Amino acid sequence: MSTAAQTPRHTALHDEHAALGASFTDFGGWDMPLKYGSELEEHRAVRGTAGLFDLSHMGEVRVTGPDAATFLNSALAGNLARVAVGRAKYSLICAEDGGIIDDLITYRLGETEFLVVPNAGNAPAVAAALQERAAGFDVTVADESADTSLIAVQGPNSVAILAELIDSDQRQLLDDLKYYAAAPAVLSGTSVLLARTGYTGEDGFEIYLGNDEAVPLWRALLQAGEAHGLVPAGLASRDSLRLEAGMPLYGNELSRETTPFAAGLGPVVSFKKDEDFVGRAALEAAREQGASRRLVGLRGLGRRAGRSGYPVVLPVDGDADATVVGVVTSGQPSPTLGVPIALAYVDADHTEPGTRLDIDLRGKPQPFEVVELPFYRRGSSA
């Protein structure tokens, strides 16, 4: 057991979660709210009205300086230099062998200023890697994770909720801010960075602000959202929402042993940029070789759900031994679709949509079918 697991960290909103009756879980060394009551109700609120998440366990690394764009192009797999000011980009930071250290979102806040947002458990490793890779570049890499809170409002009523708190002269920003964009804003008198980069498959916003102002804004959001069906939502519903949206989770679908091509993230890697980014040679070789297993979506044809670690097998008749062709990385019943869904790494020969496969539930095979991702798309019938 790690030291972080023995002494979990608390966000600035921890007491608020406790007062709301949250149950907690360790996530990346943080004591985070798992749910406040029913994770199913929290999931459905995000799909139908809105949910309020504390994501302050995520990291924030600010990169500034004349070489910021070229530095990030050398440190990350994507082409950050082509991102316009005010926009964001999903990218990867890889090791020299091409393995994924983390997936992350990077906001371009100015011509020479970027905010890199890694996952909670990987934030120290990402910050350290960026600082190490900054040698020789005219940049400053500042890990601001400890001082920054992150609150997300996700769901179809998110615009209406924020409209009650944003300065009147910024009301149009809520309509104009595009997906994967960010801008400064004032909410309930607090200066924040307002982003539209959700992880749930719904419209919504992520709000970056200082720790000292997190509690007042959290309370203001809950009060403003009461008439709009806003409920506090924990990590349990966030996981089922992101699974329906077909989004990978680091530690489940992504790891140091995974290449972007196996995970379906090949387009995230920019081989056209000029910079010799970390991992480039290994990733070029991996692209040429092709992935022997690839990440797929599996939709259940029965009622029982597979879970992480369960084998994926070829269907057989009778008592013959099944051939293992993959493994589930995430799986559960879909609250929105009403069927079991799963993400799994499967041998490349069995990844075509429509392929019938079984998930072995402790000796009891259950029928599934390979489907295109995402499982759920906003605006589609559930």
Side-chain angles (χ1 to χ4, degrees):
M1 183 177 292
S2 68
T3 301
Q6 293 171 334
T7 55
R9 301 175 66 184
H10 292 176
T11 74
L13 295 166
H14 189 273
D15 290 347
E16 300 297 303
H17 305 316
L20 290 167
S23 57
F24 291 88
T25 186
D26 176 82
F27 190 90
W30 293 80
D31 194 34
M32 297 300 294
L34 180 66
K35 58 182 179 180
Y36 299 83
S38 164
E39 66 264 42
L40 186 59
E41 292 180 4
E42 293 166 19
H43 180 112
R44 287 174 173 162
V46 175
R47 289 279 181 256
T49 52
L52 185 65
F53 297 89
D54 176 15
L55 307 179
S56 304
H57 56 322
M58 304 280 284
E60 290 85 14
V61 182
R62 193 175 300 268
V63 178
T64 55
D67 292 346
T70 53
F71 159 64
L72 287 173
N73 266 11
S74 299
L76 306 182
N79 191 342
L80 282 303
R82 297 194 63 180
V83 177
V85 173
R87 301 306 303 267
K89 189 175 185 64
Y90 177 80
S91 190
L92 301 167
I93 181 168
C94 294
E96 286 285 3
D97 65 2
I100 299 172
I101 295 174
D102 200 13
D103 64 327
L104 35 76
I105 293 176
T106 300
Y107 302 92
R108 188 165 198 170
L109 305 180
E111 286 295 337
T112 60
E113 181 180 7
F114 294 79
L115 184 67
V116 181
V117 180
N119 287 296
N122 293 331
V126 171
L130 290 176
Q131 287 164 347
E132 181 182 346
R133 295 175 187 187
F137 291 94
D138 187 3
V139 294
T140 298
V141 178
D143 185 358
E144 300 178 353
S145 305
D147 302 319
T148 306
S149 289
L150 174 55
I151 299 172
V153 182
Q154 290 284 304
N157 291 352
S158 55
V159 170
I161 294 166
L162 265 62
E164 299 203 16
L165 299 179
I166 199 166
D167 273 11
S168 56
D169 60 352
Q170 290 189 314
R171 173 61 183 81
Q172 189 61 38
L173 175 63
L174 300 178
D175 295 326
D176 294 344
L177 194 67
K178 297 179 179 178
Y179 189 50
Y180 265 71
V186 178
L187 295 176
S188 192
T190 299
S191 296
V192 305
L193 176 66
L194 185 65
R196 207 167 206 158
T197 48
Y199 190 57
T200 64
E202 297 298 335
D203 188 18
F205 299 89
E206 298 190 330
I207 304 162
Y208 296 85
L209 72 167
N211 286 341
D212 291 345
E213 288 152 338
V215 169
L217 185 58
W218 173 269
R219 292 176 177 174
L221 286 163
L222 281 176
Q223 184 175 6
E226 188 173 358
H228 301 282
L230 179 72
V231 302
L235 293 185
S237 60
R238 186 169 170 81
D239 191 50
S240 55
L241 290 159
R242 72 91 193 167
L243 177 57
E244 287 183 348
M247 296 181 180
L249 175 66
Y250 199 93
N252 287 39
E253 284 74 42
L254 306 178
S255 72
R256 293 283 184 118
E257 289 70 45
T258 308
T259 71
F261 309 103
L265 298 177
V268 175
V269 183
S270 174
F271 292 109
K272 292 183 178 180
K273 62 183 178 181
D274 295 332
E275 291 81 4
D276 184 20
F277 58 93
V278 176
R280 179 169 196 146
L283 290 172
E284 286 177 338
R287 179 183 60 170
E288 184 70 21
Q289 183 179 4
S292 60
R293 280 191 172 184
R294 296 203 294 266
L295 188 67
V296 300
L298 296 174
R299 183 183 175 109
L301 303 176
R303 300 185 62 180
R304 298 187 62 190
R307 302 290 180 179
S308 176
Y310 283 15
V312 179
V313 301
L314 296 179
V316 296
D317 294 326
D319 296 329
D321 292 335
T323 301
V324 176
V325 296
V327 62
V328 174
T329 52
S330 298
Q332 61 178 282
S334 164
T336 306
L337 304 176
V339 298
I341 57 174
L343 293 174
Y345 278 101
V346 173
D347 291 350
D349 291 343
H350 307 289
T351 56
E352 278 297 313
T355 302
R356 263 279 288 113
L357 296 170
D358 286 346
I359 294 179
D360 186 346
L361 273 64
R362 299 177 180 175
K364 296 181 178 179
Q366 297 295 308
F368 282 77
E369 181 181 57
V370 178
V371 296
E372 297 275 4
L373 293 172
F375 299 105
Y376 165 84
R377 195 181 300 276
R378 191 189 336 157
S380 63
S381 59

